[in-house]
Amino acid sequence: MERQYILQRLPDVLLPWYRLNRRELPWRADREPYHVWLSEIMLQQTRVEAVKGYYARFLSALPTVEALACCDDDMLHKLWEGLGYYSRVRNLKKAARVIMDQHGGVFPGEYDAIRALPGIGDYTAGAICSICSDRPTPAVDGNVLRVISRILDDPTPIDLPTTKKQVAAELAEVYPEAAGDFTQALMELGATVCGPNKRPDCGNCPCNAFCKGFQRGTAEVLPVKSPKKTRREEDLTVFILSCDGKVLLHRRPKKGLLAGLWEFPNVPGHLNEQEALAAVENMGLRPRELLRMVERSHIFTHIRWNMRGFYIEVASAEGKPDWFTREQVELQAALPTAFRQFWEEKQDV
Ligand code: SF4
C-alpha cells in the first residue's frame, strides 16, 4: 500500500516540473503518431543527440507512413546506417505496410492494435498510445524503472520481466488525464535529473520530498540488476579488396545478424598473411599487393567480433559484380559500423 501512496504523488509534482524543464526535442513538436513512433524506435539503444540528425533525415526522405511502406530497402538501410540494430528499421517498414493494408493508412489509436504492429513492444505501444491519445498506458523502460526503484527504495532487479509488469500496473493506477505529458515527464526525469551513469541530482528533483531512496541514502546503489551473462567471442578475417579505385562488397544473408546489409568479404577465424592471400585467390581474384593488416573489434549485444582486416589490392575486378566506387559506398550501400570502421581507415579509394 505504501508503494501506491508514494506513486500517487507523482503526477502533481512531475507535470508542472516537466512543463517548465522539458528539453525541446524535434519529436516533441507535435503528437503525430508517425513522428512519436519513429523517435521511440530510433531512441532505443541510441543517444538523443545522435538521433536528432537521423530523425530529420528520415522524415525528410520519408515524410509519411505511406512513403515508408513503399520505400526501397537499400534506401531504408542507408537512412539507418550507423544507428545499428537494423531489425528496427526493417520492422518499421513492415509495420507501415500493415498500417496501409489493415488500417487504411491511418495509425491505430488503440493500445492493442498498436502493440500488434511488427517491432512494437509494451514500452513503445504505451508511449505512442499515451503521448498521442492521452491514454493511461505507461511506457516503462530502463529510465522509468530506475526512477521508480529509487523512489520506492526497491532492490528488486529491474531486468526481471515481473518487475516491469508490476511497475507498469502500479503506474497505470495513478495516471492523470494529461497522460502524454506524464509519460514524458517520467522519461524526462529518468533521462536527466535521475539519469543513468551519474549521481542522481536529488537536490533539484521534484520528487525529493517523498523519494525513499533519497531519504534513506540508497539512491546511488539503485537500481539493482541481475548478474550479466557473458558475451560470445567470434574471430573474423575481413578482406578490404580494392581495384581501380573501387572496393568489393558483399551482400549479407537475408536472415540473421545484420541481415541484408553490405559487408566486406570475410571468413570465420583469424588467417595469417599467406592464408589471407590464398583465400583471396580462392575467391577467383589475383592479389597484387597486401597493403596492410589491422586488428579491430565490434561489440553487439550478445557477441563480440574480434576482426583482423587485410587491405589487399587485386589485379582485376572481372568476375565479381559488386565493386563500389567511393561515392557509391557513401551514398548507396548501407555498411554497418562493424565494417565501416575498415572503410573509414581506407584512404586510397
Ligand atoms: S530524489 Fe534523487 S533518487 Fe529520488 S527520484 Fe529524484 S533524483 Fe532520483
Side-chain angles (χ1 to χ4, degrees), residues 147 150-151 189 193-194 200-203 205-208 211 213-214 219:
V147 169
R150 286 174 173 173
I151 285 179
L189 192 76
V193 176
C194 197
D201 186 7
C202 302
C205 178
C207 303
N208 59 16
C211 174
F214 172 54

Side-chain angles (χ1 to χ4, degrees), residues 6-241:
I6 295 171
L7 295 179
Q8 271 167 8
R9 301 180 68 178
L10 285 171
D12 283 349
V13 297
L14 276 187
L15 287 173
W17 171 83
Y18 174 68
R19 287 166 185 158
L20 270 180
N21 294 284
R22 69 182 210 160
R23 293 166 297 170
E24 292 305 322
L25 300 172
W27 42 90
R28 287 183 178 159
D30 57 59
R31 293 188 172 199
E32 160 61 40
Y34 177 40
H35 299 169
V36 174
W37 171 41
L38 177 64
S39 68
E40 289 300 338
I41 299 293
M42 282 187 166
L43 286 163
Q44 290 166 12
Q45 322 279 351
T46 313
R47 290 174 305 105
V48 164
E49 285 310 312
V51 164
K52 285 179 181 172
Y54 282 96
Y55 177 80
R57 278 192 299 279
F58 199 99
L59 279 186
S60 160
L62 303 172
T64 61
V65 172
E66 185 177 6
L68 171 58
C70 303
C71 172
D72 166 76
D73 281 351
D74 278 337
M75 178 191 181
L76 197 63
H77 288 147
K78 196 68 192 163
L79 287 167
W80 207 262
E81 185 184 72
L83 271 177
Y85 302 96
Y86 286 81
S87 58
R88 291 184 292 170
V89 73
R90 284 191 283 274
N91 279 327
L92 273 173
K93 180 173 168 180
K94 278 188 206 160
R97 285 199 169 153
V98 173
I99 294 168
M100 296 309 296
D101 295 345
Q102 297 177 17
H103 300 281
V106 178
F107 204 99
E110 297 301 324
Y111 178 89
D112 288 344
I114 299 172
R115 178 68 178 82
L117 293 171
I120 294 192
D122 294 340
Y123 165 80
T124 309
I128 297 170
C129 197
S130 62
I131 294 171
C132 304
S133 308
D134 271 330
R135 308 279 173 83
T137 52
V140 180
D141 67 352
N143 280 345
V144 172
L145 284 167
R146 178 176 52 259
V147 169
I148 300 302
S149 79
R150 286 174 173 173
I151 285 179
L152 298 175
D153 187 25
D154 184 347
T156 312
I158 58 166
D159 46 358
L160 299 177
T162 45
T163 309
K164 197 180 259 194
K165 271 199 176 135
Q166 182 184 4
V167 169
E170 288 172 332
L171 282 174
E173 292 294 313
V174 304
Y175 251 66
E177 251 177 53
D181 278 359
F182 185 60
T183 291
Q184 294 188 86
L186 274 169
M187 291 174 176
E188 191 76 351
L189 192 76
T192 58
V193 176
C194 197
N197 309 321
K198 62 173 189 174
R199 294 179 70 175
D201 186 7
C202 302
N204 288 311
C205 178
C207 303
N208 59 16
F210 55 87
C211 174
K212 293 289 167 215
F214 172 54
Q215 290 165 3
R216 295 173 185 166
T218 56
E220 283 185 44
V221 295
L222 292 168
V224 170
K225 289 188 185 167
S226 308
K228 272 195 179 163
K229 288 185 190 145
T230 51
R231 218 176 242 129
R232 193 170 80 235
E233 303 252 344
E234 289 182 0
D235 293 343
L236 221 62
T237 298
V238 179
F239 302 96
I240 305 94
L241 304 175

Side-chain angles (χ1 to χ4, degrees), residues 239-253:
F239 302 96
I240 305 94
L241 304 175
S242 59
C243 182
D244 295 336
K246 296 181 178 177
V247 287
L248 183 65
L249 297 183
H250 174 256
R251 179 84 83 172
R252 288 184 64 81

